[in-house]
Amino acid sequence: MKKYSEMTREELLSEKELLEKRYAEKKALGLKLDISRGKPSPEQLALSLPMLDLINSETENFKCENGFDIRNYGVVDGIPECRRLFGEILDAPAENVIVTGNSSLNLFYDLIAHAMCHGVPGGDAPWCECKERKLLCPAPGYDRHFAVGEYFGFKLIPIEMKNDGPNMNQVEALITDPDVKGIICVPKYSNPQGISYSAEVIERFANLSPAAKDFRIFWDNAYTVHHLDFDGEMDEIPSLLRLAEKNGKSDMVYMLGSTSKITFPTAGLAAVASSAANTADIKRMLSFQNIGPDKINQMRHVLFFKNLDGVLKHMRKQAEVIRPKFETVLTVLKEELGETGIAEWNSPKGGYFVSAELLEGTAKRTVSLCKEAGLAITGAGAVYPYGNDPGDSILRIAPTFAPVCELPQAMEIFCISAKLAAIEKLL
Ligand SMILES: Cc1ncc(COP(=O)(O)O)c(C=O)c1O
């Protein structure tokens, strides 16, 4: 098959006719398919159900290591054994880890809100006093991160993503502006591209010298143990906090993580690892905010996993469930789009997404064609600050939630739609 860009007008018209026929057939099926959000599937959630039986009236394991009763008030920074567990997951010393709540997005929001109202260690004033405050946003990125920044009145500045992480020349140039207060990163198996930052990029992060004394790197390591093939290639990255500590710059770093996609997105745990000064500052914030964090859930997680090795064994089971879904997505993409020359995509080694780069100017049209044929997909532009994809070309595919048997159908609709949109554009 010829590339679309090399086809004559007649060839494109006849390809279009074939695609329109296929599209009409799919539409007539009245399907309701969804590859829009990165949610664990019911089979994945079932893997963590035994955790719910580990603490009850018979087990009597209500005391944590420091002697506190996990059912009662207190221990705002998390029980020691759970801080240690997250220390292993995030690669940080346990004493620098705070475990709280069930959502890392919530923690990110709280950290920003706290900085806005009270400032952060090393800063002269609350961030709200900086009228032109700016947040650097490597893009494509996670839409909800951008939404939090926008909600708090930051000017969002997109940073180009390369194959090994954000364009660091751009980052280093922009942080000479004292109004740039932070950057939000997903350093491993990034959302949506599945990119892991290289050691060199992370070293440059650990060495940043921002003009703002209260500049912060929000290092959302959401997918740190989310490998897709535990017997194959897996990415590992160095700990930003440890590297920054060596450079005397650890106040710059908040490393975030959660078990939302390890156990349950609603009843998991979230944690932040940071410098001693930041950890004390966050602990103080929490002492006003919540004097009775859910330590029962912390203990459940500790009993269930014991240590990082336990987490990895569990994640291997998760990978067995979702790998076939990723494989299906990649197979259909290759079969349908491989020879057309209208799309490129990543083959991630972990994380939750496949990111497709379509012919410029066709992402929005592809989404609306998908929708009309019964396939929900994340909106075009969502992966850029302000929903503004300059090329209108990037779409995020989330394979985990849909049953594997639905994915071939969903991906065929996606590819037919992308091809139709491309031909419309070329004609
Ligand atoms: C990069 C990233 N961070 C955070 C979250 C949300 O995490 P949590 O459930 O811990 O708030 C997601 C969810 O998709 C994500 O992709």
Side-chain angles (χ1 to χ4, degrees):
M1 189 196 208
K2 272 191 193 167
K3 284 186 177 170
Y4 279 11
S5 60
E6 292 164 3
M7 284 186 180
T8 62
R9 187 177 165 77
E10 285 62 40
E11 284 169 331
L12 282 174
L13 283 170
S14 82
E15 174 79 355
K16 184 165 179 258
E17 206 180 308
L18 287 174
L19 288 166
E20 278 168 349
K21 193 160 167 278
R22 285 180 70 196
Y23 183 78
E25 281 165 12
K26 295 286 174 207
K27 200 171 154 185
L29 296 173
L31 299 166
K32 213 168 169 286
L33 305 168
D34 193 340
I35 50 168
S36 66
R37 293 235 68 105
K39 295 199 290 190
S41 60
E43 303 96 286
Q44 287 172 271
L45 300 173
L47 293 171
S48 303
L49 281 179
M51 190 180 77
L52 300 181
D53 299 326
L54 294 177
I55 299 177
N56 54 49
S57 56
E58 280 157 32
T59 56
E60 296 234 341
N61 36 13
F62 302 132
K63 284 259 159 64
C64 63
E65 234 170 62
N66 57 7
F68 275 83
D69 187 328
I70 57 170
R71 297 166 299 179
N72 221 323
Y73 282 124
V75 202
V76 296
D77 47 357
I79 62 173
E81 46 273 65
C82 198
R83 294 173 72 188
R84 208 162 49 233
L85 176 65
F86 261 105
E88 289 185 37
I89 295 173
L90 293 175
D91 195 356
E95 64 269 22
N96 293 73
V97 174
I98 288 184
V99 183
T100 183
N102 77 305
S103 153
S104 61
L105 188 67
N106 191 165
L107 251 176
F108 171 56
Y109 178 104
D110 280 347
L111 290 171
I112 297 263
H114 176 62
M116 287 290 288
C117 296
H118 300 278
V120 292
D124 292 328
W127 286 6
C128 67
E129 288 181 18
C130 177
K131 296 299 170 214
E132 303 293 320
R133 56 189 171 275
K134 296 170 192 140
L135 183 68
L136 306 185
C137 303
Y142 179 37
D143 50 350
R144 294 187 196 275
H145 284 158
F146 303 153
V148 171
E150 204 178 343
Y151 182 64
F152 282 102
F154 287 83
K155 180 169 181 214
L156 309 180
I157 304 184
I159 303 289
E160 181 199 3
M161 273 296 284
K162 299 177 157 223
N163 286 339
D164 64 346
N167 179 336
M168 292 309 288
N169 292 339
Q170 214 185 338
V171 172
E172 283 158 359
L174 284 162
I175 58 167
T176 54
D177 173 356
D179 292 339
V180 172
K181 293 293 182 189
I183 182 166
I184 172 75
C185 299
V186 182
K188 192 163 165 186
Y189 302 137
S190 68
N191 174 353
Q193 294 169 298
I195 287 173
S196 297
Y197 296 9
S198 68
E200 191 201 330
V201 162
I202 298 176
E203 189 64 63
R204 281 173 82 175
F205 266 106
N207 252 317
L208 289 180
S209 297
K213 284 188 290 180
D214 50 358
F215 177 87
R216 289 293 183 272
I217 304 168
F218 297 91
W219 198 249
D220 180 8
N221 210 350
Y223 299 107
T224 181
V225 289
H226 301 60
H227 311 289
L228 277 173
D229 184 358
F230 281 74
D231 297 314
E233 276 184 72
M234 291 180 277
D235 289 342
E236 291 306 342
I237 61 168
S239 163
L240 177 65
L241 184 64
R242 292 189 197 276
L243 289 176
E245 180 76 43
K246 274 193 208 146
N247 300 335
K249 296 186 176 192
S250 55
D251 283 348
M252 205 163 55
V253 179
Y254 293 126
M255 298 203 303
L256 299 159
S258 80
T259 66
S260 288
K261 292 178 186 104
I262 297 175
T263 55
F264 304 113
T266 51
L269 298 171
V272 52
S274 196
S275 67
N278 288 340
T279 303
D281 182 52
I282 298 166
K283 189 172 172 184
R284 184 168 177 274
M285 168 184 92
L286 290 172
S287 71
F288 294 105
Q289 200 181 56
N290 182 359
I291 53 169
D294 185 351
K295 297 178 291 297
I296 298 180
N297 200 27
Q298 293 177 19
M299 185 62 100
R300 270 193 213 112
H301 280 74
V302 170
L303 293 171
F304 191 53
F305 291 124
K306 299 194 174 53
N307 51 32
L308 178 61
D309 198 40
V311 174
L312 292 172
K313 282 194 178 119
H314 181 78
M315 293 313 288
R316 176 184 274 272
K317 293 184 203 159
Q318 299 259 9
E320 298 305 318
V321 177
I322 63 175
R323 196 172 53 250
K325 300 187 181 191
F326 278 80
E327 284 166 359
T328 305
V329 165
L330 296 171
T331 303
V332 181
L333 281 172
K334 188 165 173 219
E335 280 170 11
E336 290 277 346
L337 301 179
E339 291 173 12
T340 62
I342 60 156
E344 286 180 12
W345 55 90
N346 63 323
S347 300
K349 286 183 257 168
Y352 256 57
F353 304 100
V354 174
S355 176
E357 184 173 355
L358 306 181
L359 188 70
E360 254 196 54
T362 63
K364 281 200 191 102
R365 175 68 179 144
T366 301
V367 172
S368 81
L369 282 167
C370 287
K371 196 170 162 204
E372 228 180 285
L375 174 66
I377 173 160
T378 308
V383 295
Y384 280 87
Y386 308 112
N388 179 24
D389 173 357
D392 183 29
S393 62
I394 308 284
L395 288 180
R396 185 180 83 173
I397 298 163
T400 57
F401 186 69
V404 72
C405 60
E406 286 183 4
L407 280 171
Q409 193 78 278
M411 287 311 297
E412 258 187 83
I413 293 175
F414 175 84
C415 294
I416 293 170
S417 301
K419 288 198 272 195
L420 274 173
I423 292 180
E424 285 171 9
K425 182 91 188 163
L426 291 168
L427 284 171

